[in-house]
Amino acid sequence: QKEVEQNSGPLSVPEGAIASLNCTYSDRGSQSFFWYRQYSGKSPELIMSIYSNGDKEDGRFTAQLNKASQYVSLLIRDSQPSDSATYLCAVPLFSGGYNKLIFGAGTRLAVHP
Amino acid sequence: DADVTQTPRNRITKTGKRIMLECSQTKGHDRMYWYRQDPGLGLRLIYYSFDVKDINKGEISDGYSVSRQAQAKFSLSLESAIPNQTALYFCATWTGGHGYTFGSGTRLTVV
């Protein structure tokens, strides 16, 4: 099992729909979780961080965390073509001393008009 | 000015050549990281450093070396480049609760 797993996609959604991106992680001791967006050829940029079980909302983005299930998700409401990008889930693993982020391979999202 | 600056942005080099990728930051962060990104494989950690005297190997350090010349500067070297080191390389600093800040990346091609 990989330490951080994501479906590679592509996930295709129509404009205005809700896009749901999922991530699972292996280390039960992990305490914080990050979602990055990366446009092709560009550097990743932070969208959301979440530390507590439940939901955290920021504009059109909602991060959801379930530590018991070792599952974190990102919902994008009212998806726009400009949201088309690769979304990376990142976790600092307890086994790594929380000193570095381990990234999933990313889910490619395509929002079509 | 960007918080994390990488040079060069693009580089083509020949097999067997030594090459250095440079990274500098303006925010005074202690922790700096080098990752490479390959299609379908995500970001993989090469080396990281917590201060000038603290250098640590990541999961794919073979064929690479680093130097932390100052708190603000962290360089990655390929001692003898090979084609499978062709990738997009990112430098990052740790900003605590906000995770990483990444540089713009260096696209390296080894021919």
Side-chain angles (χ1 to χ4, degrees):
Chain A
Q1 180 190 5
K2 292 183 180 178
E3 294 170 312
V4 181
E5 291 202 69
Q6 298 179 252
N7 290 325
S8 61
L11 173 66
S12 181
V13 301
E15 184 174 356
I18 295 175
S20 178
L21 305 164
N22 304 315
C23 174
T24 58
Y25 58 96
S26 62
D27 193 329
R28 286 194 172 275
S30 296
Q31 298 294 317
S32 55
F33 306 86
F34 301 87
W35 281 101
Y36 288 83
R37 177 177 63 199
Q38 185 178 26
Y39 294 111
S40 181
K42 302 297 185 181
S43 58
E45 54 180 332
L46 182 69
I47 298 177
M48 296 278 292
S49 59
I50 186 167
Y51 304 92
S52 303
N53 277 330
D55 295 359
K56 178 182 178 183
E57 187 174 318
D58 183 0
R60 295 187 295 114
F61 298 97
T62 298
Q64 299 175 317
L65 175 61
N66 184 326
K67 290 185 179 179
S69 299
Q70 296 172 244
Y71 178 95
V72 57
S73 65
L74 179 71
L75 302 179
I76 306 175
R77 292 182 299 280
D78 188 23
S79 296
Q80 301 297 309
S82 59
D83 294 324
S84 298
T86 297
Y87 289 80
L88 303 170
C89 173
V91 181
L93 299 181
F94 174 76
S95 60
Y98 300 124
N99 290 324
K100 51 190 182 292
L101 290 179
I102 305 300
F103 288 83
T107 298
R108 188 157 57 92
L109 172 66
V111 181
H112 53 87
Chain B
D1 289 343
D3 293 349
V4 181
T5 301
Q6 289 184 237
T7 56
R9 292 295 308 274
N10 293 281
R11 180 74 181 266
I12 300 174
T13 192
K14 293 183 177 181
T15 297
K17 292 291 187 181
R18 184 179 190 276
I19 182 171
M20 179 181 288
L21 309 183
E22 302 198 25
C23 176
S24 62
Q25 54 123 341
T26 60
K27 295 296 186 181
H29 296 134
D30 290 326
R31 301 184 185 184
M32 298 186 73
Y33 304 79
W34 276 104
Y35 284 83
R36 67 175 278 175
Q37 188 172 37
D38 300 273
L41 295 179
L43 287 156
R44 293 183 292 165
L45 183 62
I46 306 172
Y47 270 97
Y48 60 106
S49 168
F50 293 164
D51 65 38
V52 173
K53 296 182 179 180
D54 182 36
I55 304 292
N56 303 278
K57 292 182 177 181
E59 58 181 307
I60 55 163
S61 59
D62 287 349
Y64 301 94
S65 63
V66 291
S67 173
R68 186 82 182 264
Q69 302 96 321
Q71 187 194 37
K73 296 183 181 296
F74 191 36
S75 300
L76 176 72
S77 293
L78 286 67
E79 299 301 326
S80 180
I82 56 177
N84 76 1
Q85 291 177 313
T86 293
L88 187 55
Y89 289 84
F90 288 105
C91 175
T93 63
W94 177 261
T95 60
H98 297 288
Y100 288 162
T101 295
F102 286 90
S104 298
T106 295
R107 185 170 296 281
L108 176 66
T109 303
V110 183
V111 299

